[in-house]
Amino acid sequence: MPSPARQAVRFPAEVAPLNAVWNQLTATQVAPPHWLIIVSGVVALAIVSYRPAWHISRGLVTIAHEGGHALVAVLTRRKLQGIRLHSDTSGVTLTRGRPTGPGMIATAAAGYVAPSLLGLGAARLLASGYVTLLLWAVLVLLACMLLMIRNLFGVVSLLVVGGAVFALSWYAPQDVQGVLAHGAVWFLLLGGLRPIIELQSKRRRGRAADSDADQLARLTRLPGTFWVVLFLLVSGAAFASGAYLLMVSGPTA
């Protein structure tokens, strides 16, 4: 009988496919040329700036916004009851727990900064060349969010977005994946800023009494304008950092 020191170590057959999947997810891609990264940013800026295009695409920012509320609610141990996405690009996240306190404050504060922070995290992955990992991470997040959707329009919205991301990750050439992924990250970074500006405009006209900023004002006794400025500072910093990562980092050929 061979000694234990000479026995070959054998791994289960199931491990090999898992390793192959992990290797594919963590494989890096060469970053697109800088001019294409700039063009994708200009296109994203045009979409965010042009009102009809923004009205159509704003729902993507709403998904990130409500997802931010939901994630922080779970992290702060609030009971997540459901998420609704509406055809007017608005949304609502329902939670249960103490009506005051740090958990409620953190949950209410997470929505407006979530798109920009998500864009910053995505920019970090792209800067390291992890395009495939980014796309599949988005799919996982959408799948988790889908479990909590409580209306038909929300279900259809997430299935359409998830289907588009899956098709991009599965069928598109790597160079196309890279360019479109950069465009999507630019859109999150830029699109995270516009709703905050719109929020303050609505507040000045008295049309946002139940906004996140005004809910935070009631929870903390800090003025709603303070929270709007804080949202803007966080999102602005995320945009600056994300833009830097997209433009100067990443693997080169």
Side-chain angles (χ1 to χ4, degrees), residues 3-249:
S3 65
R6 294 183 180 180
Q7 288 180 348
V9 178
R10 297 184 179 180
F11 295 97
E14 294 83 357
V15 172
L18 292 177
N19 284 340
V21 171
W22 178 248
N23 290 335
Q24 182 177 357
L25 289 177
T26 56
T28 58
Q29 298 181 19
V30 176
H34 276 140
W35 71 269
L36 270 179
I37 295 176
I38 294 172
V39 168
S40 66
V42 171
V43 171
L45 177 61
I47 293 173
V48 172
S49 302
Y50 183 52
R51 185 178 296 274
W54 172 244
H55 181 72
I56 295 173
S57 61
R58 193 183 192 278
L60 299 174
V61 175
T62 301
I63 291 173
H65 178 115
E66 300 304 332
H69 283 311
L71 176 61
V72 174
V74 172
L75 293 176
T76 56
R77 299 184 179 181
R78 293 184 62 79
K79 177 69 174 179
L80 181 60
Q81 293 184 300
I83 303 169
R84 290 178 176 271
L85 302 173
H86 303 137
S87 58
D88 63 355
T89 72
S90 66
V92 61
T93 299
L94 303 174
T95 66
R96 187 173 62 192
R98 288 184 57 194
T100 59
M104 184 63 195
I105 293 171
T107 299
Y112 275 99
V113 298
S116 298
L117 294 178
L118 180 60
L120 176 58
R124 187 68 190 88
L125 288 176
L126 287 185
S128 300
Y130 295 122
V131 177
T132 303
L133 182 60
L134 170 61
L135 295 175
W136 281 85
V138 171
L139 286 174
V140 170
L141 292 174
L142 290 173
C144 292
M145 193 171 176
L146 182 63
L147 297 176
M148 298 308 301
I149 291 293
R150 295 294 181 263
N151 66 325
L152 179 60
F153 182 83
V155 170
V156 173
S157 298
L158 288 189
L159 288 178
V160 169
V161 175
V165 175
F166 176 79
L168 176 63
S169 66
W170 196 259
Y171 298 109
Q174 287 191 355
D175 53 348
V176 175
Q177 289 181 9
V179 173
L180 293 181
H182 277 78
V185 172
W186 278 119
F187 175 78
L188 282 174
L189 292 170
L190 291 163
L193 292 167
R194 177 161 179 171
I196 302 172
I197 298 171
E198 292 177 339
L199 169 62
Q200 185 58 19
S201 176
K202 290 179 180 178
R203 291 184 71 250
R204 282 199 302 266
R205 299 195 299 270
R207 295 174 52 194
D210 293 325
S211 71
D212 293 351
D214 291 279
Q215 290 182 42
L216 286 163
R218 292 189 287 270
L219 288 167
T220 64
R221 298 186 180 180
L222 294 170
T225 303
F226 167 85
W227 291 102
V228 174
V229 171
L230 182 60
F231 295 159
L232 195 58
L233 288 174
V234 172
S235 295
F239 168 76
S241 301
Y244 174 82
L245 288 171
L246 292 177
M247 292 305 303
V248 305
S249 302

